[in-house]
């Protein structure tokens, strides 16, 4: 036997033992510079039905070349290029996916405790283990490593879920309003491509008995960073509204927040805001690169003809205000993010867009849909036309007065 052989050690796990039921084959890398000790390990494994392919490396540098794909590393603490716990630390660093067991001639209980504390799955002493004990130790070490990895991944998933829940609460707050003159129905669904919360957000704030402000926005991109920025923009907008900042100054101030907090200069956001004056039967609409709200009133459906304006974070400029007059006390105003209208229509590249959304809302079939369920109905119809789940996040605000149509 030579330590430089690239094939499995010839004495590894070829015999059978009635006390050890057969399982999956394991690949074990023995890092041992003593040829006699390496031979003994092979003989011990040959005594049992170990189902273990044993590879041997005589140094840490050689082990680095062979550690890929092994299930467990069996390490001697006295090597030509590493001694003691230093060698263990290097092996743990190079074999993050494999279990590591120490096999040494030093019967030192304190050293064993420290080795396990450093990350080894077990500490075995040469001359005190037979084939059965060695095989079990290796298999148990692999299972413990897998259990630890599964627990770590589960914890990471739980942390991501908790983080997403916190961000979702920040992006999708409860409307801050007390009036019963209008009703607000909210909707949010993450894009199905990753099922992660994105940068879409909305908010509703009532500052006077007859005045309500609404916002729907979309930070470009998906993920935690974009969601966090969306939360900052929503909270900043609510603070500006509650502080009574002049109407024309709100979105420029929001743009300053965006430009100071974004992680990349190319990050931008689109926003639509509406200020409802219930006593005057009117609304003021401002758009910053966002699709226009759609008005349902008197049996008619039409997008609000407000100017689109520039994206926030591209070239600062105040959005142009558009005054919308309500002819009756029965109307609904739908605000939404572009995820709703970017789905495909048919097999080509045509998108649903604002015109398609308007047609869906004008469809007599939705007359039987309660207003509170209308946003979900729209998403369902858009997905049906798209031929599958929508790729982008969808957020909606539907504010209604009277009969709502």
């Amino acid at each position: 036997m030579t330590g430089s052989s690239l094939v499995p050690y010839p004495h590894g796990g070829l015999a059978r033992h009635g006390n050890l039921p057969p399982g999956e084959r394991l690949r074990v890398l023995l890092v041992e510079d003593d040829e006699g000790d390496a031979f003994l390990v092979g003989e011990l494994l040959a005594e049992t039905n170990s189902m273990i392919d044993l590879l041997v490396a005589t140094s840490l540098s050689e082990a680095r070349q062979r550690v890929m794909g092994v299930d467990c590393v069996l390490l001697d603490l006295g090597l030509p290029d590493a001694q003691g716990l230093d060698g263990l630390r290097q092996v743990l660093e190079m074999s993050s996916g494999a279990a590591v067991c120490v096999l040494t001639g030093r019967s030192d209980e304190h050293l064993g405790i420290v080795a396990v504390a450093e990350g080894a799955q077990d500490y075995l002493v040469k001359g005190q283990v037979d084939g059965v004990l060695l095989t079990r130790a290796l298999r148990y070490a692999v299972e413990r490593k897998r259990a630890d990895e599964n627990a770590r991944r589960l914890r990471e998933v739980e942390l991501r879920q908790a983080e997403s829940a916190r961000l979702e609460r920040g992006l999708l707050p409860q409307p801050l309003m007390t009036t019963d003159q209008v009703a607000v129905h909210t909707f949010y669904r993450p894009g199905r491509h990753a099922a992660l919360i994105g940068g879409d957000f909305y908010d509703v704030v009532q500052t006077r008995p007859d005045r309500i402000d609404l916002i729907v926005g979309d930070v470009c991109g998906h993920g935690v960073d974009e969601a966090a920025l969306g939360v900052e923009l929503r909270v900043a907008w609510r603070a500006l509204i509650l502080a009574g900042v002049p109407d024309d100054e709100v979105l420029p101030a929001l743009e300053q927040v965006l430009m100071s907090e974004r992680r990349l200069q190319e990050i931008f956001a689109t926003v639509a805001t509406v200020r409802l004056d219930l006593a005057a039967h009117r609304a003021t609409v401002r758009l910053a690169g966002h699709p226009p709200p759609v008005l349902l009133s008197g049996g008619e459906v039409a997008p609000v003809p407000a100017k689109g304006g520039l994206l926030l974070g591209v070239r600062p400029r105040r959005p142009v205000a558009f005054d919308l007059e309500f002819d009756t006390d029965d109307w609904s105003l739908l605000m939404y993010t572009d995820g709703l209208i970017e789905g495909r229509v048919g097999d080509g590249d045509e998108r649903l867009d604002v015109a398609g959304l308007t047609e869906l809302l004008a469809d007599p079939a939705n007359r039987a849909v309660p207003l509170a369920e209308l946003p979900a109905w729209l998403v369902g119809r858009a997905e049906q036309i798209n031929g599958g789940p929508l790729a982008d996040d969808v957020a909606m605000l539907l504010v209604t007065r009277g009969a709502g149509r």
Side-chain angles (χ1 to χ4, degrees):
M1 187 276 298
T2 59
S4 60
S5 173
L6 290 175
V7 297
Y9 190 76
H11 297 286
L14 301 180
R16 294 178 118 12
H17 192 287
N19 294 331
L20 291 177
E24 63 174 310
R25 294 197 72 85
L26 297 182
R27 287 172 56 85
V28 175
L29 175 63
L30 172 63
V31 188
E32 171 65 75
D33 66 326
D34 188 296
E35 184 174 343
D37 286 345
F39 180 82
L40 178 59
V41 170
E43 289 295 311
L44 291 175
L45 294 177
E47 295 174 359
T48 68
N49 183 23
S50 62
M51 298 288 287
I52 290 175
D53 293 329
L54 184 66
L55 305 176
V56 179
T58 59
S59 65
L60 278 187
S61 59
E62 188 178 350
R64 292 183 188 278
Q65 303 172 15
R66 304 201 181 168
V67 73
M68 184 66 67
V70 303
D71 300 296
C72 183
V73 177
L74 192 56
L75 173 69
D76 179 33
L77 294 183
L79 297 171
D81 52 355
Q83 293 289 322
L85 294 177
D86 178 62
L88 173 61
R89 296 186 186 105
Q90 293 187 53
V91 169
L92 289 170
E93 183 178 355
M94 75 172 72
S95 58
S96 58
V100 177
C101 289
V102 172
L103 180 62
T104 180
R106 301 170 61 182
S107 180
D108 186 334
E109 182 178 353
H110 175 72
L111 181 61
I113 293 174
V114 174
V116 172
E118 289 281 347
Q121 267 67 48
D122 209 340
Y123 183 90
L124 307 172
V125 179
K126 296 176 182 179
Q128 296 184 10
V129 294
D130 58 16
V132 174
L133 180 58
L134 178 59
T135 300
R136 282 177 175 164
L138 293 175
R139 287 199 172 274
Y140 292 171
V142 170
E143 292 305 318
R144 282 195 296 271
K145 180 65 174 180
R146 290 173 179 173
D148 290 344
E149 287 296 307
N150 289 336
R152 181 185 60 80
R153 284 193 290 268
L154 178 60
R155 179 57 178 162
E156 289 177 352
V157 170
E158 291 174 344
L159 289 173
R160 285 197 297 270
Q161 290 176 339
E163 187 175 54
S164 294
R166 288 193 297 271
L167 290 172
E168 184 172 351
R169 288 193 297 270
L171 289 168
L172 316 176
Q174 291 296 319
L176 185 61
M177 54 179 287
T178 58
T179 183
D180 58 0
Q181 297 184 61
V182 297
V184 174
H185 308 292
T186 63
F187 180 91
Y188 178 83
R189 178 178 292 179
R192 288 300 182 264
H193 61 287
L196 292 174
I197 196 164
D200 291 11
F201 60 93
Y202 61 70
D203 204 353
V204 181
V205 174
Q206 179 180 355
T207 53
R208 294 203 308 246
D210 59 351
R211 191 172 83 179
I212 300 174
D213 285 272
L214 307 99
I215 186 172
V216 168
D218 182 3
V219 177
C220 71
H222 305 276
V224 173
D225 289 334
E226 289 74 17
L229 182 55
V231 171
E232 291 182 87
L233 295 179
R234 186 200 65 77
V235 172
W237 176 84
R238 175 175 281 202
L240 292 166
I241 295 299
L242 292 175
V245 173
D247 298 355
D248 287 335
E249 301 297 330
V250 172
L251 288 185
L254 200 64
E255 186 167 42
Q256 289 182 0
V257 174
L258 168 67
M259 296 175 69
S260 65
E261 296 296 329
R262 62 187 176 186
R263 60 185 177 86
L264 298 173
Q265 189 172 2
E266 54 267 28
I267 296 293
F268 62 86
T270 68
V271 168
T273 67
V274 172
R275 169 160 288 177
L276 293 176
D277 188 335
L278 301 178
H281 299 280
R282 61 186 294 176
T284 303
V285 180
R286 291 177 173 84
L287 303 178
H290 204 85
V294 178
L295 176 65
L296 295 77
S297 180
E300 302 292 330
V301 179
V304 176
K307 291 187 177 181
L310 293 177
L311 307 167
L312 294 184
V314 176
R315 192 179 68 190
R317 190 178 71 178
R318 285 182 173 82
V320 177
F322 178 83
D323 290 328
L324 173 66
E325 302 288 341
F326 298 114
D327 297 330
T328 72
D329 286 336
D330 298 312
W331 52 263
S332 290
L333 196 63
L334 177 68
M335 303 172 68
Y336 53 93
T337 54
D338 59 6
L340 177 63
I341 60 174
E342 287 188 342
R344 296 182 182 277
V345 177
D347 297 329
D349 294 332
E350 183 182 357
R351 304 290 178 172
L352 182 65
D353 214 346
V354 179
L357 175 61
T358 303
E359 291 179 7
L360 287 180
L361 287 168
D363 186 343
N366 77 45
R367 293 282 182 173
V369 179
L371 288 171
E373 300 174 13
L374 186 58
W377 181 87
L378 286 172
V379 170
R381 290 288 288 117
E383 290 182 335
Q384 183 179 4
I385 295 171
N386 185 54
L390 300 173
D392 202 358
D393 309 313
V394 178
M396 280 185 270
L397 283 179
L398 180 65
V399 54
T400 68
R401 189 171 194 178
R405 292 184 172 108

